[in-house]
Amino acid sequence: MTQPLLEIKGLSKRFGGFVALDGIDLEVAPGERLGLIGPNGSGKSTLVNCICGTLQNEAGSVRFEGRTIDGLPANRRTHLGLARSFQLPRPFVSLTLIDNLRIPLIYTVAPRAGMLARTTRQMDERCMELLAMVGLDSRARRWPRDLTQVEMRKLELARAMAAEPKLLIADESMAGLSHSEVEDIIALLLRLNGQGITIILIEHIMRAVMSFSQRIAVLVSGRKIADGKRDAVVNNPEVVSAYLGQ
Amino acid sequence: MRAATFVFIALVVGAIVFALSLLARNEYVLFAGFVVLQYIVLATAWNILGGYCGYVNFGTAAFFAMGAYSTVALHKLGANPGRYLAGTFAEALIPLFPLSIPVLVVIGGLVSGLVGFGMGYLTLRLRGVFFAIATLALAVVLQTLIINWDFVGGSRGAYVIRPDSIALGPVSLSYIEYLYLVMLSLAVLALCVARQIERSRLGFGFATIRDDELAAEASGVPTLRLKLIATALSGALMGMAGAPLPYYIGYVEPAAAFGLPYAVNSIAMPMIGGTTSWVGPLIGAILLGTLQQIATVTISSVVNLLIVGVLLVAFVIIAPKGIVGLLQDRWRARLQP
Amino acid sequence: MSIPIDLLLNAIVAGLLLGGFYAAVTVGVSISFGMLDVVNIAHPAFIILGSYIAYIINATFGIDPILAALIVLPAFYVLGQAVYQIFYWSFEKRGEEALRGLAFFFGLLFITEVMLILVFGVDYRYVHALYIGPTWRIGFIDLPLRMLVPCVVSILLVVALQMFLSRTFVGRAIMAVAQDQQALRLLSVDPIRIKRIAFGVSIATAALAGAFLIIIQPVEPSIGREYIGRIFAICVLGGMGSLPGTVIAAVLLGIIESLTATFYGPSWAPAVAFGFLLVTLAVRPAGILGR
């Protein structure tokens, strides 16, 4: 078996007396499409935050490409090839769309390539390419406040992609979107996966998770209760009761 | 506009201002102008951390006073170096005294920059308000240290005797002309640094910190490192502005060097002018600085501080983008009738 | 080196008394900053304002300063509500509180100080009361009444506030508001109203703290600044919004300051508070009873 891209062992996180994550084990293979589901408050976002370094886990370890990344600040993990979108879009409001995408290019891609900088022109081209990918190229010089909710989420994905990640974690990129908008984003994610990017999709919309994921992991109250092939997981009685029991 | 062009223009404008000020042949113009220029440096320095990164520093007076007191300490040392310096390095060091003002400016900048770096290192990992609160307390504590340090005069203060004139190559300037020139150069330097940051990748990084630190980290921005750069740079410029102070007022006491006006003005000027570009602090400092010079003479210095406080509160409530923002809005409205 | 035991014990008792007073000074900020997340750095200015009002009433009518503070308590409550309303409209609602909200409160701090200088000058003012002067002695331990009375009333104040917060509906809503505004909306409670009430309470405590301050020492307009470091150090170390934590932290700082003053000299006391704050922020930002 090939080495997993992401390997989580015994990950735990508590807030005061509240145990948010309790001994999570999870492996993600290169190129995989994993759906991560669970009821509200089950610890999905906390898990993402621990993987990406926004929060530090107390116990257990996170390995990325075989390298332990516990304790690394978030920006270092981004350099290693981990990127995420936020549940609520967090654009840089004082920067134009093209400048929003420029940030990961300046601070992640250029240093990773060992060069101080690409030329401004190359960067502009790359930013426009990414904006075109999500259909926002006509508004490159506008500000995030001019965008709709779905456009904001697309910008969020484009910015995560600008860091040229190996693993993309999309945290509820589709909440509150219409049917066709969900289709849009799924198509986009599938295209990215086709380019070789491993994707973890965290989502409430089961339709989206079902059509996107190869494998599904289920979190309930900070524990992983199921992990496996899509159809096996959704027919698992424990998963069904956790969802219907809500 | 390219950076070199901007520096060139700034130097030319600086030279013109200097020439005009000398032509006025009125020492009061130089004394008052020195203070306004000093505020341009302080407001610009404050804005590098406050306006660009969104981190509020209430301790401008502390950084400024560190610069002033490093000058006082070195002046005392220089007055009688043999008495304080001993050991192997003494022979090498003694001939260096008395230090010239540009050297003192650099040293003052280093001292304050280090203070800024140290404090930032301790508090910048936390939420921004903790940094702000720590800077408030910093002023009180550094003042306590100075009050308890007899070498620089303690609470009584210290006299610094300045020569009447100074020779710069073939030209001989009076001491106030010379100090005015030093502060003018510092103002030009501060504005060039601020503008250069704005247009650079560093400036983009600062803006992401102001907008959303979590998202910045996720995009790979090393936020802690950038914040430390901003704090050290901002503190250093404040210290540089403070270094010539002892020669300007001739007598330094803690209450004056740590005066609240420095802290209030350095916040009020960028807030009133506008915090997003280098122009804002410049406009704010010229307007408020000049206003205060007039008000101090015509009314009283307490009343003019009250004016600054009221203007600060009024602007943050009514015109959060400052004068620059107001002008931009009007300009845009005119373009799109 | 041997430290005389009576000196040491006296310093500790003086620190305890001082700590009781610090609890009253900080409790308002524990509510506004700790619970509401409103960074009211102007709180010391309201305290000094309280001192001067106690001074005026005391000097004019000869009324006891603590009684005077209780009389003006409602006025401070209303003032606090008004300040919060302005803050809410101008900053919180627009989501700009970080930078400009801080500048706003800094402006208030500054305006209050300058106004007081304009009206009263920079001379020290003091009050008269029966308990300023006498000292009880138990064995070799001194209990100056001008420290003891504020300390006792201050502890009563904190206990009353704790009961208010834990026993009444509004009090519980205040504790909840910082945690989850959404939940309150579901209970059809207006979180802004709750925050306004809480901020009013927070400023009302400043009236009493101001009276204590001017009982303990003569007051001039700028001494409020010395308290900023102390207040926030105590608030943070106390765990941001925990009243029992606030009292413990206040007493701790009181004792440390008192020991410093006794053994190194009073001019070093302000540095202690700051060192305390820095160490707190650097080592234990969650506070001693922290989450």
Side-chain angles (χ1 to χ4, degrees), chain B:
Chain B
M1 200 188 328
R2 306 215 10 185
T5 325
F6 182 84
V7 173
F8 179 73
I9 293 176
L11 285 173
V12 170
V13 172
I16 294 171
V17 169
F18 187 60
L20 289 177
S21 309
L22 290 188
L23 282 176
R25 299 215 162 275
N26 180 346
E27 281 220 324
Y28 176 74
V29 171
L30 296 178
F31 274 99
F34 177 90
V35 176
V36 175
L37 288 168
Q38 177 181 290
Y39 277 129
I40 292 178
V41 182
L42 288 178
T44 306
W46 185 90
N47 204 46
I48 289 175
L49 184 63
Y52 297 171
C53 297
Y55 272 73
V56 180
N57 176 3
F58 291 115
T60 304
F63 293 101
F64 179 79
M66 281 297 105
Y69 268 97
S70 55
T71 296
V72 173
L74 289 167
H75 179 85
K76 292 269 293 193
L77 202 60
N80 197 346
R83 198 173 133 201
Y84 304 106
L85 292 176
T88 31
F89 294 113
E91 270 176 45
L93 286 176
I94 288 172
L96 296 177
F97 289 96
L99 297 171
S100 69
I101 288 185
V103 175
L104 290 168
V105 164
V106 171
I107 294 174
L110 283 175
V111 169
S112 293
L114 276 175
V115 170
F117 183 87
M119 220 188 58
Y121 189 78
L122 285 177
T123 57
L124 282 172
R125 259 174 273 242
L126 305 161
R127 286 172 56 206
V129 289
F130 289 115
F131 173 77
I133 293 164
T135 58
L136 267 174
L138 176 75
V140 175
V141 171
L142 287 179
Q143 189 171 355
T144 309
L145 293 180
I146 295 291
I147 285 173
N148 285 292
W149 191 19
D150 283 332
F151 179 67
V152 292
S155 57
R156 285 168 290 107
Y159 286 95
V160 173
I161 299 145
R162 62 179 188 216
D164 289 332
S165 66
I166 191 141
L168 274 183
V171 199
S172 172
L173 291 175
S174 79
Y175 216 74
I176 181 62
E177 287 167 345
Y178 178 58
L179 285 174
Y180 183 84
L181 179 63
V182 168
M183 199 49 84
L184 184 64
S185 316
L186 277 177
V188 169
L189 171 74
L191 288 171
C192 290
V193 167
R195 187 199 177 265
Q196 189 49 37
I197 287 174
E198 244 170 69
R199 305 294 166 105
S200 72
R201 292 166 182 206
L202 193 61
F204 275 121
F206 286 172
T208 64
I209 290 173
R210 181 183 59 205
D211 286 352
D212 191 327
E213 269 186 60
L214 276 187
E217 276 280 324
S219 296
V221 180
T223 52
L224 182 62
R225 197 193 313 157
L226 293 200
K227 284 186 281 185
L228 285 174
I229 293 175
T231 318
L233 197 60
S234 167
L237 283 171
M238 289 171 180
M240 290 166 96
L245 180 81
Y247 290 98
Y248 175 75
I249 51 179
Y251 167 66
V252 191
E253 55 168 343
F258 285 90
L260 200 53
Y262 297 115
V264 176
N265 273 312
S266 64
I267 294 172
M269 287 163 175
M271 288 284 181
I272 289 168
T275 52
T276 49
S277 82
W278 61 274
V279 188
L282 176 65
I283 293 178
I286 292 175
L287 282 181
L288 266 190
T290 315
L291 181 74
Q292 285 178 73
Q293 286 304 311
I294 296 167
T296 308
V297 181
T298 53
I299 317 169
S300 84
S301 57
V302 180
V303 173
N304 90 52
L305 284 180
L306 186 62
I307 295 172
V308 177
V310 171
L311 277 177
L312 169 62
V313 170
F315 262 84
V316 292
I317 292 177
I318 299 161
K321 289 183 199 160
I323 292 172
V324 170
L326 289 178
L327 292 176
Q328 277 173 347
D329 288 349
R330 280 194 70 176
W331 197 38
R332 269 187 212 136
R334 203 174 286 175
L335 285 178
Q336 309 166 335

Side-chain angles (χ1 to χ4, degrees), chain C residues 201-242:
Chain C
V201 171
S202 135
I203 298 301
T205 67
L208 265 174
F212 299 159
L213 175 63
I214 200 165
I215 290 169
I216 288 175
Q217 64 167 102
V219 165
E220 55 99 8
S222 73
I223 68 168
R225 270 182 271 149
E226 288 178 19
Y227 281 86
I228 292 176
R230 285 191 187 117
I231 289 176
F232 282 94
I234 294 169
C235 177
V236 174
L237 189 70
M240 302 277 294
S242 148

